[in-house]
């Protein structure tokens, strides 16, 4: 029988039971960050402020994009504690409490907030191993269960110090820690590639559609020189919304017709399915693969995609079908480019809903069909590449989650 003090999955050559130890006994010392009030926080300064939201699984540097700063005068006045690259930072705030990261080199001196616990590396443990174990689901659940509070739950430093950690030999810690560091580096590399592709796409969208009243875009494929023509979307498309069958009638659901809701316009699967009766006895309408799907309601108003399945839509989606001579992918990319402008113009503070009439009356510049096809195909290929990288990244994250569950003693 497997020992309760050994993990499900181990590197070859390791068989000894893991030893249960209190975190404080391993760390030697756990300190807190500083009380940093609003009047000490600035957009520039001498020290970067690391807060609880910057800590956890994922790219630390990406989480610091909007970080604030702290001046030397405030540092001296508050007798603040500087944190250093290699320090282990643990969030004491629940979301969940216990999220852990190693501080990378930020290129600037740093301090951290009071709700962050600090462990300085020592000879008792391997840093990457300890961070990986603290981020495992077992330890996160254990730490978060000790958090308390009426508004925002937090774990006290005393309770954090008493959390029990299972520790193998230092050699096994090194193997596990190095494995997770390599996995994290691979995830970070794929994340950077994905972010770069998204930034490249954003740049192409800005340059490959006319702006500020121009009749031609800044960047074009060779062989195209004609002015683009200004048209209303309704002049070269047909469009319709759907509806929702009565939720109280069970005979309308659990059929074989995919029921596409606004959060699923870019997905190839749905959570709900309608029966033929549900479709016939409601305003739900069928869309086909290749139709443009535009979200009208709620938090995702203005999102747009190309339907990947044949299915029915509800009233929160506007289906758009180009008339012959116009490209779905071209129109869809233009709508993506215009999303923020449409929301700013028609939704107050991002609240409320769009309507079919608003979308139909949008005015855009369009080139001839051949140029539309070239532009649409270019962005489709770019979107497919982005989706491929996203799938690879998601798979790596899922693999890491699985390893975190199986490579630590429970």
């Amino acid at each position: 029988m497997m020992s309760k003090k050994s993990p499900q999955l181990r590197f070859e050559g390791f068989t000894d039971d893991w030893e249960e130890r209190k975190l404080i006994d391993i760390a030697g010392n756990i300190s807190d960050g500083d009380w940093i009030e609003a009047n000490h926080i600035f957009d520039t300064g001498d020290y970067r402020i690391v807060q609880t939201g910057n800590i956890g699984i994922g790219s630390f540097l990406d989480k610091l994009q909007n970080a604030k700063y702290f001046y030397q005068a405030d540092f001296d006045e508050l007798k603040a504690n500087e944190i250093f690259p290699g320090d282990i930072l643990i969030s004491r705030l629940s979301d969940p409490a216990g999220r852990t990261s190693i501080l990378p080199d930020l290129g600037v001196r740093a301090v951290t907030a009071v709700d962050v616990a600090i462990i300085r590396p020592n000879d008792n443990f391997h840093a990457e191993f300890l961070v990986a174990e603290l981020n495992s689901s077992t330890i996160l659940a254990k730490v978060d269960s000790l958090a308390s509070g009426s508004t925002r739950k937090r774990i006290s430093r005393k309770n954090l110090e008493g959390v029990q950690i299972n520790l193998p030999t230092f050699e096994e810690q090194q193997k596990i820690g190095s494995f997770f560091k390599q996995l994290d580096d691979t995830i970070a590399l794929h994340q950077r590639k994905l972010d770069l592709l998204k930034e490249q796409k954003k740049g192409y969208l800005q340059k490959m559609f006319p702006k500020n009243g121009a009749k031609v875009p800044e960047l074009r494929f060779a062989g195209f020189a004609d002015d683009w023509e200004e048209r209303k979307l309704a002049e070269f498309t047909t469009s319709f919304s759907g509806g929702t069958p009565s939720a109280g009638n069970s005979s309308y659901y659990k059929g074989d017709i995919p029921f596409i809701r606004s959060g699923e316009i870019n997905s190839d699967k749905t959570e709900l399915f309608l029966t033929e009766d549900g479709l016939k006895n409601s305003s739900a309408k069928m869309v086909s693969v290749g139709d443009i799907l535009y979200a009208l309601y709620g938090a995702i108003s203005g999102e747009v995609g190309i339907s990947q399945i044949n299915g029915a839509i509800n009233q929160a989606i506007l289906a758009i079908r180009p008339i012959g001579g116009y490209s779905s992918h071209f129109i869809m990319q233009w709508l993506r480019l215009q999303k923020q402008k449409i929301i700013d113009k028609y939704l107050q503070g991002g609240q409320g809903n769009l309507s079919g009439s608003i979308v139909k009356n949008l005015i855009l510049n369009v080139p001839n069909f051949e140029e539309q096809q070239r532009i649409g195909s270019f962005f489709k290929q770019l979107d497919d590449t982005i989706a491929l990288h996203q799938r690879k990244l998601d798979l790596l994250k899922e693999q890491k989650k699985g390893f975190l569950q199986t490579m630590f003693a429970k």
Side-chain angles (χ1 to χ4, degrees), residues 35-55:
W35 284 101
I36 302 174
E37 304 290 348
N39 60 315
H40 301 302
I41 299 173
F42 300 91
D43 290 331
T44 59
D46 304 302
Y47 295 82
R48 205 155 193 181
I49 301 171
V50 177
Q51 297 178 301
T52 56
N54 307 133
I55 297 169

Side-chain angles (χ1 to χ4, degrees), residues 352-363:
N353 301 321
L354 296 171
S355 68
S357 60
I358 288 173
V359 179
K360 293 174 192 178
N361 284 303
L362 294 173
I363 297 173

